[in-house]
Short mmCIF file of all heavy atoms in Angstrom, two decimals:
data_model
loop_
_atom_site.label_atom_id
_atom_site.label_comp_id
_atom_site.label_asym_id
_atom_site.label_seq_id
_atom_site.Cartn_x
_atom_site.Cartn_y
_atom_site.Cartn_z
N MET A 1 -16.84 -15.64 12.80
CA MET A 1 -17.05 -14.93 11.61
C MET A 1 -16.31 -15.40 10.45
O MET A 1 -16.74 -15.57 9.32
CB MET A 1 -16.65 -13.43 11.83
CG MET A 1 -16.82 -12.54 10.64
SD MET A 1 -18.41 -12.12 10.27
CE MET A 1 -18.85 -11.03 11.64
N LYS A 2 -15.03 -15.77 10.66
CA LYS A 2 -14.22 -16.41 9.50
C LYS A 2 -14.87 -17.62 9.05
O LYS A 2 -14.86 -17.70 7.83
CB LYS A 2 -12.83 -16.62 10.08
CG LYS A 2 -11.84 -17.19 9.01
CD LYS A 2 -10.55 -17.60 9.54
CE LYS A 2 -9.69 -18.25 8.46
NZ LYS A 2 -8.89 -19.26 8.89
N ALA A 3 -15.21 -18.48 9.85
CA ALA A 3 -15.77 -19.74 9.39
C ALA A 3 -17.15 -19.58 8.48
O ALA A 3 -17.29 -20.24 7.54
CB ALA A 3 -16.11 -20.70 10.54
N VAL A 4 -17.91 -18.61 8.97
CA VAL A 4 -19.09 -18.38 8.24
C VAL A 4 -18.81 -17.80 6.72
O VAL A 4 -19.44 -18.24 5.84
CB VAL A 4 -20.02 -17.34 9.00
CG1 VAL A 4 -21.13 -16.88 8.10
CG2 VAL A 4 -20.42 -17.92 10.21
N LEU A 5 -17.88 -17.06 6.69
CA LEU A 5 -17.42 -16.30 5.44
C LEU A 5 -16.85 -17.44 4.61
O LEU A 5 -17.06 -17.39 3.30
CB LEU A 5 -16.55 -15.08 5.67
CG LEU A 5 -17.14 -13.99 6.34
CD1 LEU A 5 -16.19 -12.81 6.59
CD2 LEU A 5 -18.32 -13.30 5.42
N GLU A 6 -16.02 -18.24 5.14
CA GLU A 6 -15.44 -19.29 4.31
C GLU A 6 -16.43 -20.32 3.82
O GLU A 6 -16.29 -20.78 2.73
CB GLU A 6 -14.31 -20.00 5.23
CG GLU A 6 -13.05 -19.23 5.39
CD GLU A 6 -12.12 -19.82 6.36
OE1 GLU A 6 -12.40 -20.78 7.04
OE2 GLU A 6 -10.86 -19.47 6.27
N LEU A 7 -17.47 -20.62 4.66
CA LEU A 7 -18.61 -21.59 4.19
C LEU A 7 -19.32 -20.87 3.10
O LEU A 7 -19.71 -21.55 2.17
CB LEU A 7 -19.48 -21.79 5.42
CG LEU A 7 -20.60 -22.73 5.05
CD1 LEU A 7 -20.18 -24.03 4.56
CD2 LEU A 7 -21.58 -22.88 6.29
N ALA A 8 -19.60 -19.46 3.11
CA ALA A 8 -20.21 -18.86 2.08
C ALA A 8 -19.50 -18.86 0.78
O ALA A 8 -20.04 -19.20 -0.27
CB ALA A 8 -20.54 -17.37 2.42
N VAL A 9 -18.13 -18.68 0.96
CA VAL A 9 -17.43 -18.80 -0.41
C VAL A 9 -17.39 -20.28 -0.97
O VAL A 9 -17.66 -20.36 -2.14
CB VAL A 9 -15.83 -18.54 -0.05
CG1 VAL A 9 -14.93 -18.90 -1.19
CG2 VAL A 9 -15.67 -17.00 0.35
N GLN A 10 -17.35 -21.35 -0.09
CA GLN A 10 -17.35 -22.64 -0.46
C GLN A 10 -18.66 -22.93 -1.19
O GLN A 10 -18.73 -23.54 -2.32
CB GLN A 10 -17.08 -23.65 0.57
CG GLN A 10 -17.22 -25.12 0.20
CD GLN A 10 -17.18 -26.04 1.46
OE1 GLN A 10 -16.72 -25.57 2.55
NE2 GLN A 10 -17.54 -27.27 1.30
N VAL A 11 -19.82 -22.64 -0.52
CA VAL A 11 -21.11 -23.05 -1.01
C VAL A 11 -21.38 -22.21 -2.22
O VAL A 11 -21.91 -22.81 -3.26
CB VAL A 11 -22.12 -22.76 -0.06
CG1 VAL A 11 -23.65 -22.88 -0.56
CG2 VAL A 11 -22.05 -23.72 1.17
N THR A 12 -21.13 -20.99 -2.36
CA THR A 12 -21.41 -20.19 -3.58
C THR A 12 -20.66 -20.74 -4.79
O THR A 12 -21.10 -20.67 -5.93
CB THR A 12 -21.18 -18.68 -3.40
OG1 THR A 12 -19.85 -18.34 -2.94
CG2 THR A 12 -22.12 -18.11 -2.38
N ARG A 13 -19.35 -21.16 -4.54
CA ARG A 13 -18.66 -21.79 -5.69
C ARG A 13 -19.27 -22.99 -6.16
O ARG A 13 -19.42 -23.30 -7.31
CB ARG A 13 -17.08 -21.97 -5.17
CG ARG A 13 -16.30 -20.74 -5.25
CD ARG A 13 -14.83 -21.07 -4.90
NE ARG A 13 -14.08 -19.80 -4.94
CZ ARG A 13 -12.92 -19.70 -4.25
NH1 ARG A 13 -12.51 -20.60 -3.46
NH2 ARG A 13 -12.33 -18.57 -4.33
N GLU A 14 -19.50 -23.88 -5.20
CA GLU A 14 -20.10 -25.24 -5.60
C GLU A 14 -21.45 -25.14 -6.27
O GLU A 14 -21.74 -25.83 -7.13
CB GLU A 14 -20.29 -26.14 -4.29
CG GLU A 14 -18.98 -26.49 -3.76
CD GLU A 14 -19.12 -27.22 -2.27
OE1 GLU A 14 -20.26 -27.34 -1.95
OE2 GLU A 14 -18.09 -27.61 -1.74
N GLU A 15 -22.31 -24.18 -5.67
CA GLU A 15 -23.69 -24.02 -6.43
C GLU A 15 -23.75 -23.00 -7.51
O GLU A 15 -24.75 -22.73 -8.10
CB GLU A 15 -24.61 -23.58 -5.26
CG GLU A 15 -24.73 -24.66 -4.14
CD GLU A 15 -25.34 -25.91 -4.57
OE1 GLU A 15 -26.28 -25.90 -5.47
OE2 GLU A 15 -24.80 -26.98 -4.02
N GLU A 16 -22.54 -22.36 -7.78
CA GLU A 16 -22.47 -21.31 -8.93
C GLU A 16 -23.57 -20.33 -8.72
O GLU A 16 -24.40 -20.01 -9.54
CB GLU A 16 -22.59 -21.99 -10.17
CG GLU A 16 -21.46 -22.90 -10.50
CD GLU A 16 -21.56 -23.57 -11.94
OE1 GLU A 16 -22.60 -23.27 -12.61
OE2 GLU A 16 -20.68 -24.31 -12.22
N MET A 17 -23.53 -19.77 -7.43
CA MET A 17 -24.51 -18.72 -7.18
C MET A 17 -23.79 -17.48 -6.49
O MET A 17 -22.53 -17.47 -6.32
CB MET A 17 -25.51 -19.17 -6.14
CG MET A 17 -24.91 -19.78 -4.90
SD MET A 17 -26.05 -20.58 -3.83
CE MET A 17 -26.74 -19.22 -2.81
N GLN A 18 -24.59 -16.44 -6.21
CA GLN A 18 -24.06 -15.23 -5.60
C GLN A 18 -24.62 -15.10 -4.26
O GLN A 18 -25.80 -15.50 -3.94
CB GLN A 18 -24.59 -14.00 -6.46
CG GLN A 18 -23.92 -12.78 -5.86
CD GLN A 18 -24.42 -11.57 -6.72
OE1 GLN A 18 -25.61 -11.52 -7.23
NE2 GLN A 18 -23.60 -10.55 -6.82
N TYR A 19 -23.74 -14.61 -3.30
CA TYR A 19 -24.21 -14.41 -1.91
C TYR A 19 -23.80 -13.05 -1.48
O TYR A 19 -22.59 -12.64 -1.70
CB TYR A 19 -23.65 -15.48 -1.06
CG TYR A 19 -23.97 -15.46 0.39
CD1 TYR A 19 -25.21 -15.92 0.79
CD2 TYR A 19 -23.12 -14.96 1.45
CE1 TYR A 19 -25.70 -15.84 2.11
CE2 TYR A 19 -23.53 -14.90 2.73
CZ TYR A 19 -24.75 -15.35 3.10
OH TYR A 19 -25.21 -15.38 4.39
N ILE A 20 -24.60 -12.31 -1.05
CA ILE A 20 -24.38 -10.88 -0.70
C ILE A 20 -24.29 -10.77 0.82
O ILE A 20 -25.17 -11.13 1.56
CB ILE A 20 -25.40 -9.94 -1.35
CG1 ILE A 20 -25.44 -10.00 -2.79
CG2 ILE A 20 -25.11 -8.49 -0.79
CD1 ILE A 20 -26.44 -9.24 -3.46
N VAL A 21 -23.19 -10.25 1.26
CA VAL A 21 -22.92 -10.02 2.76
C VAL A 21 -22.70 -8.58 3.03
O VAL A 21 -22.07 -7.97 2.20
CB VAL A 21 -21.69 -10.81 3.27
CG1 VAL A 21 -21.42 -10.58 4.67
CG2 VAL A 21 -21.93 -12.31 2.88
N THR A 22 -23.43 -8.12 3.96
CA THR A 22 -23.14 -6.68 4.46
C THR A 22 -22.54 -6.85 5.84
O THR A 22 -23.05 -7.48 6.71
CB THR A 22 -24.34 -5.82 4.44
OG1 THR A 22 -25.41 -6.44 5.26
CG2 THR A 22 -24.98 -5.65 2.99
N LEU A 23 -21.45 -6.13 6.09
CA LEU A 23 -20.77 -6.16 7.42
C LEU A 23 -20.28 -4.81 7.65
O LEU A 23 -19.89 -4.06 6.76
CB LEU A 23 -19.47 -7.02 7.19
CG LEU A 23 -19.64 -8.50 7.05
CD1 LEU A 23 -18.21 -9.11 6.83
CD2 LEU A 23 -20.22 -9.09 8.28
N ASN A 24 -20.29 -4.47 8.94
CA ASN A 24 -19.50 -3.32 9.38
C ASN A 24 -18.12 -3.58 9.29
O ASN A 24 -17.56 -4.71 9.35
CB ASN A 24 -19.95 -3.03 10.85
CG ASN A 24 -21.39 -2.50 10.99
OD1 ASN A 24 -21.92 -1.96 10.13
ND2 ASN A 24 -21.89 -2.86 12.13
N THR A 25 -17.22 -2.56 9.09
CA THR A 25 -15.77 -2.75 8.95
C THR A 25 -15.16 -3.43 10.12
O THR A 25 -14.19 -4.21 9.98
CB THR A 25 -15.13 -1.46 8.70
OG1 THR A 25 -15.48 -0.47 9.74
CG2 THR A 25 -15.56 -0.91 7.26
N ASP A 26 -15.72 -3.24 11.34
CA ASP A 26 -15.15 -3.91 12.54
C ASP A 26 -15.19 -5.54 12.43
O ASP A 26 -14.48 -6.16 12.79
CB ASP A 26 -15.64 -3.36 13.95
CG ASP A 26 -17.09 -3.46 14.02
OD1 ASP A 26 -17.82 -3.55 12.97
OD2 ASP A 26 -17.50 -3.53 15.17
N GLY A 27 -16.38 -5.95 11.90
CA GLY A 27 -16.65 -7.35 11.83
C GLY A 27 -15.66 -7.96 10.68
O GLY A 27 -15.16 -8.91 10.77
N LEU A 28 -15.41 -7.25 9.61
CA LEU A 28 -14.65 -7.66 8.60
C LEU A 28 -13.15 -7.65 9.09
O LEU A 28 -12.35 -8.56 8.74
CB LEU A 28 -14.73 -6.70 7.26
CG LEU A 28 -13.98 -7.18 6.05
CD1 LEU A 28 -14.34 -8.53 5.66
CD2 LEU A 28 -14.24 -6.16 4.97
N ALA A 29 -12.78 -6.62 9.90
CA ALA A 29 -11.50 -6.60 10.45
C ALA A 29 -11.31 -7.82 11.35
O ALA A 29 -10.17 -8.41 11.37
CB ALA A 29 -11.26 -5.32 11.30
N ARG A 30 -12.23 -8.24 12.16
CA ARG A 30 -12.15 -9.45 13.10
C ARG A 30 -11.87 -10.66 12.16
O ARG A 30 -11.04 -11.42 12.49
CB ARG A 30 -13.33 -9.57 13.82
CG ARG A 30 -13.39 -8.77 15.03
CD ARG A 30 -14.45 -9.11 16.02
NE ARG A 30 -15.73 -9.18 15.49
CZ ARG A 30 -16.62 -8.22 15.67
NH1 ARG A 30 -16.30 -7.05 16.29
NH2 ARG A 30 -17.87 -8.34 15.10
N ALA A 31 -12.53 -10.84 11.04
CA ALA A 31 -12.48 -11.98 10.15
C ALA A 31 -11.03 -11.95 9.49
O ALA A 31 -10.23 -12.93 9.47
CB ALA A 31 -13.39 -12.01 8.99
N ALA A 32 -10.55 -10.72 9.22
CA ALA A 32 -9.16 -10.64 8.66
C ALA A 32 -8.16 -10.91 9.57
O ALA A 32 -7.17 -11.56 9.32
CB ALA A 32 -8.95 -9.19 8.14
N ASP A 33 -8.33 -10.56 10.83
CA ASP A 33 -7.43 -10.96 11.97
C ASP A 33 -7.26 -12.37 12.12
O ASP A 33 -6.22 -12.98 12.52
CB ASP A 33 -7.82 -10.35 13.32
CG ASP A 33 -7.62 -8.75 13.25
OD1 ASP A 33 -6.86 -8.26 12.48
OD2 ASP A 33 -8.21 -8.15 14.19
N LEU A 34 -8.41 -13.11 11.75
CA LEU A 34 -8.38 -14.63 11.97
C LEU A 34 -7.93 -15.21 10.65
O LEU A 34 -7.92 -16.53 10.49
CB LEU A 34 -9.78 -15.10 12.25
CG LEU A 34 -10.29 -14.71 13.62
CD1 LEU A 34 -11.76 -15.02 13.79
CD2 LEU A 34 -9.49 -15.33 14.84
N GLY A 35 -7.56 -14.53 9.57
CA GLY A 35 -6.93 -14.96 8.37
C GLY A 35 -7.85 -15.11 7.13
O GLY A 35 -7.41 -15.65 6.19
N PHE A 36 -9.00 -14.47 7.24
CA PHE A 36 -9.93 -14.44 6.12
C PHE A 36 -9.56 -13.20 5.22
O PHE A 36 -9.49 -12.06 5.62
CB PHE A 36 -11.30 -14.33 6.36
CG PHE A 36 -12.32 -14.35 5.29
CD1 PHE A 36 -12.53 -15.65 4.61
CD2 PHE A 36 -12.80 -13.14 4.76
CE1 PHE A 36 -13.27 -15.61 3.57
CE2 PHE A 36 -13.83 -13.26 3.64
CZ PHE A 36 -13.95 -14.47 3.08
N ASP A 37 -9.21 -13.57 3.92
CA ASP A 37 -8.97 -12.44 2.96
C ASP A 37 -10.21 -12.11 2.16
O ASP A 37 -10.53 -12.94 1.27
CB ASP A 37 -7.81 -12.84 2.00
CG ASP A 37 -7.49 -11.78 0.92
OD1 ASP A 37 -7.77 -10.63 1.12
OD2 ASP A 37 -6.58 -12.08 0.08
N ALA A 38 -10.86 -10.93 2.41
CA ALA A 38 -11.99 -10.71 1.78
C ALA A 38 -11.80 -9.88 0.42
O ALA A 38 -12.75 -9.87 -0.44
CB ALA A 38 -12.88 -9.76 2.67
N VAL A 39 -10.63 -9.56 0.27
CA VAL A 39 -10.40 -8.69 -1.07
C VAL A 39 -10.79 -9.26 -2.31
O VAL A 39 -11.51 -8.71 -3.17
CB VAL A 39 -8.93 -8.25 -1.17
CG1 VAL A 39 -8.62 -7.53 -2.39
CG2 VAL A 39 -8.53 -7.40 0.06
N PRO A 40 -10.69 -10.64 -2.58
CA PRO A 40 -11.07 -11.27 -3.82
C PRO A 40 -12.58 -11.21 -4.03
O PRO A 40 -13.05 -11.50 -5.17
CB PRO A 40 -10.51 -12.58 -3.78
CG PRO A 40 -9.47 -12.58 -2.78
CD PRO A 40 -9.89 -11.53 -1.83
N TYR A 41 -13.36 -11.02 -2.95
CA TYR A 41 -14.81 -11.17 -2.95
C TYR A 41 -15.49 -9.86 -2.94
O TYR A 41 -16.75 -9.71 -2.86
CB TYR A 41 -15.23 -12.04 -1.89
CG TYR A 41 -14.41 -13.37 -1.85
CD1 TYR A 41 -13.50 -13.60 -0.83
CD2 TYR A 41 -14.46 -14.29 -2.81
CE1 TYR A 41 -12.69 -14.74 -0.69
CE2 TYR A 41 -13.69 -15.36 -2.75
CZ TYR A 41 -12.81 -15.66 -1.66
OH TYR A 41 -12.08 -16.75 -1.77
N MET A 42 -14.77 -8.75 -2.65
CA MET A 42 -15.36 -7.56 -2.38
C MET A 42 -15.85 -6.78 -3.60
O MET A 42 -15.19 -6.69 -4.60
CB MET A 42 -14.36 -6.60 -1.62
CG MET A 42 -14.14 -7.11 -0.13
SD MET A 42 -12.99 -6.17 0.73
CE MET A 42 -13.84 -4.66 1.06
N ASN A 43 -16.97 -6.17 -3.59
CA ASN A 43 -17.51 -5.21 -4.52
C ASN A 43 -17.95 -3.89 -3.77
O ASN A 43 -18.93 -3.84 -3.16
CB ASN A 43 -18.73 -5.85 -5.16
CG ASN A 43 -19.32 -4.83 -6.20
OD1 ASN A 43 -18.89 -3.75 -6.40
ND2 ASN A 43 -20.32 -5.32 -6.83
N ASN A 44 -17.11 -3.06 -3.64
CA ASN A 44 -17.27 -1.77 -2.94
C ASN A 44 -18.36 -0.92 -3.52
O ASN A 44 -17.99 -0.07 -4.44
CB ASN A 44 -15.97 -1.15 -2.55
CG ASN A 44 -15.07 -1.93 -1.66
OD1 ASN A 44 -15.57 -2.54 -0.74
ND2 ASN A 44 -13.84 -1.91 -1.90
N THR A 45 -19.47 -1.11 -3.19
CA THR A 45 -20.65 -0.12 -3.51
C THR A 45 -20.96 0.77 -2.55
O THR A 45 -21.14 0.40 -1.42
CB THR A 45 -21.80 -1.12 -4.02
OG1 THR A 45 -21.52 -2.01 -4.89
CG2 THR A 45 -22.98 -0.17 -4.48
N ILE A 46 -21.05 2.06 -2.89
CA ILE A 46 -21.29 3.14 -1.96
C ILE A 46 -22.72 3.51 -2.15
O ILE A 46 -23.21 3.93 -3.28
CB ILE A 46 -20.35 4.44 -2.12
CG1 ILE A 46 -18.88 4.05 -1.95
CG2 ILE A 46 -20.87 5.55 -1.28
CD1 ILE A 46 -17.82 5.11 -2.24
N LEU A 47 -23.47 3.25 -0.98
CA LEU A 47 -24.90 3.65 -1.22
C LEU A 47 -25.13 4.88 -0.46
O LEU A 47 -24.66 5.26 0.71
CB LEU A 47 -25.70 2.58 -0.35
CG LEU A 47 -25.43 1.15 -0.79
CD1 LEU A 47 -26.16 0.11 0.15
CD2 LEU A 47 -25.77 0.88 -2.12
N LYS A 48 -25.88 5.77 -1.11
CA LYS A 48 -26.19 7.12 -0.57
C LYS A 48 -27.56 7.60 -1.11
O LYS A 48 -28.03 7.10 -2.19
CB LYS A 48 -25.14 8.18 -0.94
CG LYS A 48 -24.81 8.15 -2.41
CD LYS A 48 -23.47 8.97 -2.67
CE LYS A 48 -22.91 8.74 -3.99
NZ LYS A 48 -21.74 9.41 -4.19
N ASP A 49 -28.25 8.38 -0.32
CA ASP A 49 -29.56 8.77 -0.60
C ASP A 49 -29.68 10.37 -0.62
O ASP A 49 -30.78 10.92 -0.46
CB ASP A 49 -30.56 8.16 0.30
CG ASP A 49 -30.41 8.54 1.68
OD1 ASP A 49 -29.47 9.18 2.01
OD2 ASP A 49 -31.25 8.04 2.58
N LYS A 50 -28.60 11.03 -0.86
CA LYS A 50 -28.52 12.42 -0.76
C LYS A 50 -29.29 13.06 -1.96
O LYS A 50 -30.07 14.03 -1.89
CB LYS A 50 -27.09 12.96 -0.76
CG LYS A 50 -27.05 14.47 -0.66
CD LYS A 50 -25.54 14.94 -0.49
CE LYS A 50 -25.50 16.37 -0.28
NZ LYS A 50 -24.15 16.84 -0.25
N HIS A 51 -29.29 12.36 -3.06
CA HIS A 51 -29.92 12.94 -4.26
C HIS A 51 -30.96 11.99 -4.75
O HIS A 51 -31.02 10.70 -4.29
CB HIS A 51 -28.85 13.10 -5.48
CG HIS A 51 -27.68 13.99 -5.07
ND1 HIS A 51 -27.89 15.30 -4.99
CD2 HIS A 51 -26.40 13.68 -4.66
CE1 HIS A 51 -26.64 15.87 -4.64
NE2 HIS A 51 -25.75 14.83 -4.41
N GLU A 52 -31.89 12.46 -5.65
CA GLU A 52 -32.98 11.61 -6.08
C GLU A 52 -32.46 10.35 -6.77
O GLU A 52 -33.16 9.40 -6.91
CB GLU A 52 -33.90 12.42 -7.05
CG GLU A 52 -34.69 13.37 -6.30
CD GLU A 52 -35.71 12.83 -5.29
OE1 GLU A 52 -36.39 11.78 -5.75
OE2 GLU A 52 -35.72 13.31 -4.11
N THR A 53 -31.24 10.47 -7.38
CA THR A 53 -30.63 9.24 -8.10
C THR A 53 -30.05 8.17 -7.25
O THR A 53 -29.68 7.23 -7.60
CB THR A 53 -29.65 9.74 -9.09
OG1 THR A 53 -28.66 10.39 -8.43
CG2 THR A 53 -30.18 10.57 -10.19
N GLY A 54 -30.00 8.45 -5.89
CA GLY A 54 -29.41 7.59 -4.97
C GLY A 54 -30.24 6.54 -4.56
O GLY A 54 -31.33 6.22 -5.06
N GLY A 55 -29.84 5.80 -3.56
CA GLY A 55 -30.74 4.61 -3.05
C GLY A 55 -29.94 3.34 -3.25
O GLY A 55 -28.73 3.35 -3.47
N LEU A 56 -30.44 2.22 -3.14
CA LEU A 56 -30.02 0.94 -3.17
C LEU A 56 -30.15 0.33 -4.59
O LEU A 56 -31.24 -0.10 -4.91
CB LEU A 56 -30.53 -0.01 -2.14
CG LEU A 56 -30.06 -1.36 -2.06
CD1 LEU A 56 -28.49 -1.46 -1.87
CD2 LEU A 56 -30.73 -2.24 -1.05
N PHE A 57 -29.18 0.44 -5.42
CA PHE A 57 -29.23 -0.08 -6.77
C PHE A 57 -30.44 0.44 -7.58
O PHE A 57 -31.22 -0.39 -8.16
CB PHE A 57 -29.12 -1.59 -6.72
CG PHE A 57 -27.86 -2.14 -6.19
CD1 PHE A 57 -28.05 -2.78 -4.96
CD2 PHE A 57 -26.60 -1.92 -6.73
CE1 PHE A 57 -26.92 -3.18 -4.34
CE2 PHE A 57 -25.58 -2.31 -6.07
CZ PHE A 57 -25.64 -3.02 -4.88
N GLY A 58 -30.69 1.77 -7.39
CA GLY A 58 -31.85 2.32 -8.14
C GLY A 58 -33.20 2.33 -7.31
O GLY A 58 -34.10 2.94 -7.80
N PHE A 59 -33.25 1.66 -6.09
CA PHE A 59 -34.44 1.65 -5.41
C PHE A 59 -34.31 2.55 -4.18
O PHE A 59 -33.24 2.70 -3.56
CB PHE A 59 -34.71 0.18 -4.89
CG PHE A 59 -35.07 -0.70 -5.93
CD1 PHE A 59 -34.11 -1.54 -6.39
CD2 PHE A 59 -36.37 -0.74 -6.56
CE1 PHE A 59 -34.40 -2.45 -7.48
CE2 PHE A 59 -36.56 -1.69 -7.46
CZ PHE A 59 -35.64 -2.47 -8.03
N ARG A 60 -35.36 3.33 -3.94
CA ARG A 60 -35.44 4.22 -2.76
C ARG A 60 -36.29 3.62 -1.70
O ARG A 60 -37.40 3.20 -2.05
CB ARG A 60 -35.75 5.63 -3.13
CG ARG A 60 -34.71 6.36 -4.10
CD ARG A 60 -34.93 7.68 -4.29
NE ARG A 60 -35.08 8.48 -3.19
CZ ARG A 60 -34.00 9.06 -2.45
NH1 ARG A 60 -32.75 8.73 -2.91
NH2 ARG A 60 -34.22 9.82 -1.56
N PHE A 61 -35.96 3.81 -0.49
CA PHE A 61 -36.79 3.28 0.61
C PHE A 61 -37.13 4.42 1.54
O PHE A 61 -36.32 5.27 1.86
CB PHE A 61 -35.92 2.15 1.37
CG PHE A 61 -35.67 1.01 0.55
CD1 PHE A 61 -34.34 0.99 -0.12
CD2 PHE A 61 -36.54 0.00 0.34
CE1 PHE A 61 -33.97 -0.14 -0.88
CE2 PHE A 61 -36.09 -1.21 -0.39
CZ PHE A 61 -34.90 -1.13 -0.98
N GLY A 62 -38.34 4.39 2.09
CA GLY A 62 -38.67 5.30 3.18
C GLY A 62 -39.09 6.68 2.63
O GLY A 62 -39.26 7.67 3.38
N ASP A 63 -39.22 6.82 1.27
CA ASP A 63 -39.74 8.13 0.83
C ASP A 63 -41.13 8.21 1.18
O ASP A 63 -42.04 7.54 1.06
CB ASP A 63 -39.63 8.11 -0.79
CG ASP A 63 -38.28 8.37 -1.21
OD1 ASP A 63 -37.33 8.66 -0.50
OD2 ASP A 63 -38.00 8.07 -2.53
N THR A 64 -41.40 9.40 1.69
CA THR A 64 -42.76 9.78 2.19
C THR A 64 -43.32 10.85 1.39
O THR A 64 -44.47 11.19 1.59
CB THR A 64 -42.80 10.14 3.62
OG1 THR A 64 -41.91 11.27 3.79
CG2 THR A 64 -42.34 9.04 4.55
N ALA A 65 -42.69 11.43 0.42
CA ALA A 65 -43.10 12.63 -0.43
C ALA A 65 -43.89 12.00 -1.64
O ALA A 65 -43.92 10.93 -2.03
CB ALA A 65 -42.02 13.37 -0.83
#
């Protein structure tokens, strides 16, 4: 896990691009245990669909109404 995240950091810097990773906290904890510091790269976005304004960056999935 650590090597994959480090490669993503390297490639995105070299190519001046953005890479979005979603991980469960246990996977991130394993990478941290191996020495990867994710804090400089984190954008903690909370996704929720409780209200009509929720969803993923303004998009709603699975609405059947």
Side-chain angles (χ1 to χ4, degrees):
M1 177 74 67
K2 178 185 176 215
V4 170
L5 293 172
E6 288 174 340
L7 179 60
V9 168
Q10 176 187 344
V11 170
T12 55
R13 281 186 180 154
E14 290 173 359
E15 299 295 325
E16 297 180 357
M17 57 186 273
Q18 181 181 34
Y19 184 74
I20 299 172
V21 175
T22 58
L23 292 172
N24 290 331
T25 53
D26 59 333
L28 190 56
R30 281 194 302 263
D33 288 344
L34 295 171
F36 183 77
D37 180 15
V39 173
Y41 313 108
M42 292 176 71
N43 178 1
N44 291 322
T45 301
I46 298 173
L47 307 176
K48 48 191 166 184
D49 61 357
K50 183 174 181 179
H51 304 285
E52 287 299 315
T53 58
L56 178 61
F57 303 110
F59 294 96
R60 294 186 56 83
F61 300 92
D63 283 344
T64 57

